[in-house]
Amino acid sequence: MWLELLVGSSAAIISGAAGYLIAKRIEKSKFELYEEQAKAKAKAIEHEAEIILQNAKVKVKEAELAVKKEYEERTAKLQEEYEQRFKELREKEDSLKQMFKDELKHITLERQEIKAEREEALSLKEEAEKLEEEYKQKLQETIKILEEHAGLTMEEAKELILQKAEEESRAEIAHIVRKYEEEAKREAKRRANYILAQATTRYAGEFAAERLINVVNIPSDDLKGRIIGKEGRNIKTLEMLLGVDIIIDDTPNAIILSSFNLYRRAIATKVIELLVEDGRIQPARIEEIYEKVKTEFDQQLLEEGENIVIDLGIGQVHPELLKLIGRLKFRASYGQNALGHSLEVAYLAGIMAAEMGGNEVLAKRAGLLHDIGKALTHEYAGSHVDLGAEICKRYKEPDEVINAIYAHHGHEEPKTVEAAAVCAADTLSAARPGARREVLEAFLKRVQAIEEIALNKQGVKKAYAINAGREVRVIVNAELINDDEAVLLSKEIAKEIESSVQYPGEIKVNVIRENRAIEYAR
């Protein structure tokens, strides 16, 4: 029994050990199988990774080729644009050269005409000399006749004839001078218009540089590129909104704004300064700041107009006219500020109207508004007189104001004391020394020089420079100077003024000859 149990136990142990060994062998076989499968998968993954890497390299290569192609195309396009721009500049240069040649040719023709006129004048001079010789011969014949029939001595006859001949010759010369003076004036007017047109075309640069630009200072030249923007978007937006030319060149830390309109330049300057300060320079922000600045400027103009009207004490004025009054601050005429000129005219007109028994308040109102059209001339066609009259009619200004606007430039006659006062005040404001960029010291020296030239002439009693030096009034001794000699004297004074005095425009020489008989009743 025990033996059987022992044998059964041994057999069970042996079979268990055998089963364990078999199971372990089977497990090892499975592990090796799994290991082989893992190695195969790893190899497959490694192969797949190599394929992906190769594909990536191919794509990178393709991207490099595409970028290179795009770069080459863009470079070619820029080169083409450069060549086109260079070609346009060359054509423009050729055009300017041709224009210069044409102008030079025109000047040469003018010189030839002047030379021909000079030769003609010399011919006339020779003819006058020939006439003078004939006159001398006749004079000798007359002297002989007088000696024979008048019973006069040679010296007496000579003195008498010379006196008569001098009077007749001066009268003849004065007549010839008047004739040719009229012809010269007509020709001179035509030539002067042409010369002025040429001069303003050639030499407007200095005036433009001084009067027509604003310089905006920027902290760094790097901002110039940001103001230009990508493909010029920012600068195009600025120029379109502001209505000015923006010049960005090599000038360090500066941008130049160019425009005839002072108001636009002032707005543009403020907008760019705020953009530089803000740093966010892009089209939407530009429009936002522009609207803000324009609103502020309009409000300032309205407030300035209201303050001026209150100071003058001229009553209620329409808000649109108040804005235009404020805009006159940004308008100049011959270098004289339009608002300052209008205020001066208003005060002067008020004083004169009060002295003459007119309405002082109405005269001030007309004086303030007489040049209101100048605030509109940059936006609308037409003269400032017509524009000013139209805008004042629209806002129901009095007829006296409308008449003053038309009358101050001679479009119609003054119909009231107030309109006449405005006309006189406008002339005084424009003509007074220093009003239009004229140095007072130079003005006084010029006036003194003009008066001295006139006083140094024989027969002149007094000389006065009037009308801000634009006219010299010469009073002569009637016993020494006759009517014909007065004509020649005015020519001599004018010629000497031309040769020795520097002055703008023209100076009128007015020679006055009069006889006064004075007696006292005792």
Side-chain angles (χ1 to χ4, degrees):
M1 181 81 179
W2 290 103
L3 182 62
E4 292 176 356
L5 289 171
L6 182 62
V7 171
S9 299
S10 301
I13 292 168
I14 292 168
S15 61
Y20 171 76
L21 293 172
I22 293 169
K24 187 175 181 181
R25 181 84 177 233
I26 293 170
E27 187 69 25
K28 183 178 181 181
S29 298
K30 286 182 178 180
F31 177 77
E32 290 176 351
L33 179 62
Y34 290 153
E35 185 178 7
E36 290 295 330
Q37 290 177 350
K39 288 181 179 179
K41 285 183 179 180
K43 190 173 183 180
I45 290 170
E46 183 179 356
H47 181 68
E48 186 177 354
E50 289 179 358
I51 293 173
I52 292 172
L53 181 61
Q54 291 296 327
N55 291 336
K57 288 181 178 180
V58 170
K59 288 182 178 179
V60 168
K61 192 68 176 177
E62 291 176 351
E64 288 179 353
L65 292 174
V67 170
K68 184 178 180 181
K69 183 178 179 182
E70 183 182 357
Y71 169 77
E72 291 176 350
E73 289 177 352
R74 189 171 181 182
T75 302
K77 184 177 179 181
L78 290 173
Q79 180 67 23
E80 184 180 353
E81 291 178 355
Y82 166 77
E83 292 175 355
Q84 181 65 25
R85 182 62 176 165
F86 182 78
K87 182 180 178 183
E88 291 175 356
L89 291 174
R90 179 58 62 83
E91 290 176 352
K92 189 174 182 180
E93 181 182 5
D94 294 340
S95 176
L96 289 173
K97 285 182 179 179
Q98 184 62 38
M99 189 185 301
F100 176 76
K101 289 180 180 178
D102 294 342
E103 186 65 23
L104 185 61
K105 183 178 179 181
H106 188 72
I107 293 172
T108 303
L109 291 175
E110 275 196 346
R111 287 179 177 175
Q112 291 175 354
E113 290 177 2
I114 293 170
K115 184 178 179 182
E117 291 173 0
R118 187 179 299 166
E119 291 175 353
E120 184 179 355
L122 291 173
S123 176
L124 290 173
K125 184 180 179 182
E126 291 176 358
E127 185 176 349
E129 291 175 352
K130 185 177 179 181
L131 289 173
E132 187 177 358
E133 290 296 329
E134 293 178 0
Y135 164 74
K136 288 179 179 179
Q137 292 178 2
K138 290 181 180 180
L139 181 60
Q140 293 296 328
E141 294 174 2
T142 306
I143 290 172
K144 291 179 180 179
I145 294 171
L146 284 174
E147 287 178 347
E148 293 174 359
H149 299 284
L152 298 173
T153 65
M154 177 68 175
E155 294 299 326
E156 290 174 344
K158 184 177 181 181
E159 184 177 352
L160 180 62
I161 292 172
L162 284 176
Q163 183 178 355
K164 183 65 178 177
E166 183 179 358
E167 292 178 0
E168 291 180 356
S169 63
R170 289 185 70 86
E172 185 178 354
I173 292 171
H175 177 72
I176 294 172
V177 167
R178 288 178 182 176
K179 175 184 175 183
Y180 283 103
E181 185 177 23
E182 291 299 323
E183 294 180 0
K185 283 181 179 179
R186 288 193 295 270
E187 179 64 18
K189 185 175 181 181
R190 182 188 68 80
R191 291 179 61 85
N193 290 335
Y194 172 79
I195 292 169
L196 285 173
Q198 294 297 318
T200 51
T201 302
R202 295 179 187 176
Y203 299 106
E206 293 181 7
F207 177 86
E210 181 182 357
R211 310 271 186 251
L212 308 179
I213 64 171
N214 280 11
V215 178
V216 181
N217 295 318
I218 58 176
S220 171
D221 282 343
D222 295 338
L223 286 169
K224 292 183 178 180
R226 295 173 60 188
I227 290 173
I228 294 173
K230 186 177 180 181
E231 297 179 356
R233 288 185 305 173
N234 292 344
I235 194 170
K236 288 177 182 176
T237 303
L238 284 167
E239 289 184 337
M240 180 183 69
L241 284 175
L242 303 176
V244 301
D245 291 330
I246 300 176
I247 303 169
I248 299 178
D249 54 19
D250 296 331
T251 306
N253 299 334
I255 295 173
I256 298 173
L257 307 180
S258 174
S259 174
F260 286 91
N261 194 316
L262 296 173
Y263 180 64
R264 288 181 185 171
R265 277 194 283 134
I267 292 179
T269 301
K270 186 66 175 177
V271 168
I272 293 179
E273 287 175 349
L274 290 177
L275 283 172
V276 170
E277 182 180 347
D278 182 74
R280 293 175 291 171
I281 305 175
Q282 42 93 6
R285 183 62 176 166
I286 291 170
E287 294 179 4
E288 180 182 347
I289 289 183
Y290 169 72
E291 292 297 333
K292 178 182 176 182
V293 171
K294 190 173 185 303
T295 302
E296 291 176 356
F297 263 69
D298 288 342
Q299 185 61 32
Q300 290 174 7
L301 297 181
L302 180 61
E303 291 174 0
E304 182 138 11
E306 289 174 344
N307 293 333
I308 290 169
V309 169
I310 291 171
D311 291 340
L312 288 174
I314 59 176
Q316 296 294 322
V317 176
H318 195 280
E320 292 300 321
L321 290 177
L322 292 176
K323 290 180 182 178
L324 293 177
I325 291 170
R327 286 191 69 172
L328 287 176
K329 182 178 179 181
F330 299 97
R331 182 70 163 79
S333 178
Y334 302 101
Q336 188 178 23
N337 183 268
L339 181 56
H341 169 66
S342 296
L343 286 171
E344 192 172 46
V345 171
Y347 284 116
L348 290 173
I351 293 170
M352 286 188 284
E355 291 292 329
M356 293 184 291
N359 188 326
E360 180 181 0
V361 174
L362 190 57
K364 285 184 177 180
R365 190 182 190 98
L368 181 63
L369 297 176
H370 82 286
D371 271 346
I372 195 69
K374 288 184 178 179
L376 299 167
T377 52
H378 284 309
E379 284 77 22
Y380 301 93
S383 71
H384 76 278
V385 174
D386 294 330
L387 292 172
E390 182 181 345
I391 198 74
C392 287
K393 287 177 183 176
R394 185 184 306 170
Y395 296 119
K396 311 300 182 185
E397 284 296 316
D399 292 337
E400 291 84 354
V401 174
I402 308 299
N403 177 234
I405 293 173
Y406 279 122
H408 85 281
H409 273 301
H411 287 223
E412 61 182 42
E413 291 296 322
K415 299 176 182 177
T416 62
V417 171
E418 293 79 13
V422 169
C423 294
D426 178 63
T427 303
L428 286 172
S429 175
R432 66 175 175 78
R436 293 186 170 176
R437 298 191 183 276
E438 188 172 20
V439 181
L440 180 58
E441 183 179 356
F443 165 77
L444 293 174
K445 288 181 179 179
R446 186 173 73 243
V447 167
Q448 291 173 357
I450 293 169
E451 290 180 349
E452 288 176 2
I453 289 171
L455 289 170
N456 289 334
K457 298 297 180 183
Q458 187 175 4
V460 175
K461 292 165 57 177
K462 296 179 182 178
Y464 303 100
I466 62 174
N467 193 16
R470 294 185 176 90
E471 179 179 351
V472 57
R473 189 163 293 174
V474 182
I475 301 174
V476 300
N477 190 331
E479 295 178 358
L480 300 177
I481 305 293
N482 60 31
D483 290 339
D484 293 329
E485 289 172 334
V487 174
L488 295 177
L489 180 62
S490 66
K491 296 290 292 181
E492 291 173 2
I493 294 174
K495 187 174 182 180
E496 188 168 346
I497 290 173
E498 288 176 0
S499 62
S500 58
V501 180
Q502 296 291 330
Y503 55 91
E506 62 182 14
I507 296 175
K508 179 181 178 182
V509 179
N510 191 359
V511 176
I512 301 172
R513 176 182 177 270
E514 62 179 358
N515 251 333
R516 294 188 183 184
I518 300 174
E519 187 55 67
Y520 298 96
R522 295 183 176 86

